[in-house]
Amino acid sequence: MREEVFDLIPASTPVDTCQVLTDEAATYASWFSTLSDPTRVRLLHHVASAPGSVTVGELTALLGVSQSTCSHHVRKLAEVGFVRVQREGTTTLVTVNPACCTGLPHAADAVMGALSTGTVTPVSGVTIRPMTTADWPEVRRIYGEGIATGNATFETEVPSRRTLESKWLPDHRWIAMLDGAIAGWAAATPVSARECYAGVAETSIYVGDAHQGRGVGKTLLHHQVSAADADGLWTLQAVIFPENRASIALHHRAGFRTVGVRERIAQHHGQWRDTVLLERRRS
């Protein structure tokens, strides 16, 4: 049994994906090939969804297959570390290996090129300052440009200034200046009104169309993370459409990890869409 394979690359570690695909291609291939059988996928789902251990007998009934076939699939999943197997008398108990819950999303990110090496550093020429009342027209204009892309937010119209002011943390609203113009903005929103989540916020970063590709988003994210750390926020999270691969890669470079994919979480222009949930824990 090879449960340790899921601990080879921590999900929060910045990774050189070219090196990963050299060093870990065989490991990832074994994971994905193990899940090439639909019955095996269903079996893993049942085990992962169960509140505790599941017996091979119970899995046999759930899957509608013979006990020998079920045992074969359990062995294959255990070989790559997806499940753990324990014998109690004549009963075989199967539980999910918790490490695979982070290992699989990480492997998918690596294969799809969503992981990046290095760190996020400010770009020369881009300056960051606190957002002021005079900035609101440009903030809302840039927000509108993001909405127009179709891959930035579920919003279909720019929220009012009153709406944004009421939800954004006052000390975590930032403006990026480039060539004397407002090039982008960042803001953080509390995830909950409960006191226990006081240090958890969701980040938003928008860059104007005219300033794309010039390091504005990178500089904003660096400043927002640094300010959050200094102010005692212990977790930042980001919710990003999976189609926005550049933003996912940027957040990974800033120390965020993929928590998972929230499937069909909400409708956007009448279509159900997924989002990727990422988070960064203050070190």
Side-chain angles (χ1 to χ4, degrees):
M1 204 176 296
R2 298 177 56 216
E3 296 173 359
E4 72 279 1
V5 295
F6 284 104
D7 299 322
L8 288 172
I9 305 174
S12 59
T13 302
V15 178
D16 182 338
T17 50
C18 291
Q19 190 62 39
V20 165
L21 294 183
T22 298
D23 295 346
E24 307 304 337
T27 297
Y28 292 165
S30 70
W31 294 355
F32 297 139
S33 65
T34 300
L35 295 178
S36 63
D37 187 300
T39 300
R40 215 167 284 166
V41 173
R42 292 172 55 213
L43 191 157
L44 180 59
H45 172 73
H46 284 307
V47 175
S49 302
S53 59
V54 186
T55 68
V56 169
E58 291 169 335
L59 290 169
T60 297
L62 285 168
L63 297 171
V65 298
S66 68
Q67 185 159 328
S68 61
T69 297
C70 183
S71 296
H72 168 75
H73 288 311
V74 168
R75 282 195 301 271
K76 290 297 182 181
L77 291 170
E79 285 174 3
V80 295
F82 286 134
V83 300
R84 295 169 174 168
V85 178
Q86 180 181 350
R87 295 280 296 185
E88 288 191 3
T90 59
T91 301
T92 300
L93 301 176
V94 186
T95 56
V96 71
N97 176 9
C100 81
C101 298
T102 54
L104 273 177
H106 177 85
D109 283 342
V111 172
M112 296 307 295
L115 300 183
S116 302
T117 185
T119 57
V120 170
T121 56
V123 173
S124 177
V126 180
T127 58
I128 307 297
R129 61 168 174 78
M131 189 181 296
T132 68
T133 301
D135 297 326
W136 280 106
E138 283 296 282
V139 167
R140 297 185 71 247
R141 180 188 64 79
I142 292 172
Y143 203 152
E145 291 179 349
I147 290 173
T149 68
N151 284 321
T153 176
F154 280 106
E155 299 284 359
T156 55
E157 296 182 359
V158 180
S160 68
R161 170 182 168 179
R162 178 176 296 181
T163 297
L164 297 175
E165 278 192 313
S166 67
K167 72 175 186 176
W168 288 347
L169 290 169
D171 295 332
H172 294 273
R173 307 172 186 178
W174 308 106
I175 292 292
M177 300 293 298
L178 179 61
D179 298 334
I182 294 178
W185 57 266
T189 304
V191 300
S192 173
R194 296 178 63 189
E195 182 63 27
C196 60
Y197 295 117
V200 185
E202 182 175 321
T203 178
S204 298
I205 295 177
Y206 283 74
V207 178
D209 289 347
H211 296 94
Q212 296 282 340
R214 300 183 63 183
V216 175
K218 182 187 302 184
T219 305
L220 277 166
L221 185 55
H222 175 271
H223 188 89
Q224 187 173 55
V225 166
S226 300
D229 285 353
D231 199 33
L233 298 182
W234 56 79
T235 296
L236 286 179
Q237 69 178 42
V239 179
I240 305 172
F241 286 128
E243 294 83 358
N244 196 347
R245 293 176 59 196
S247 182
I248 293 173
L250 175 63
H251 280 78
H252 277 137
R253 291 182 65 185
F256 285 74
R257 71 180 183 92
T258 296
V259 177
V261 176
R262 305 168 78 186
E263 297 181 347
R264 295 167 58 85
I265 190 66
Q267 287 197 358
H268 185 230
H269 295 296
Q271 300 293 322
W272 288 104
R273 297 195 60 177
D274 302 342
T275 58
V276 180
L277 176 62
L278 302 100
E279 69 174 20
R280 177 191 180 276
R281 176 79 180 187
R282 184 181 62 185
S283 57

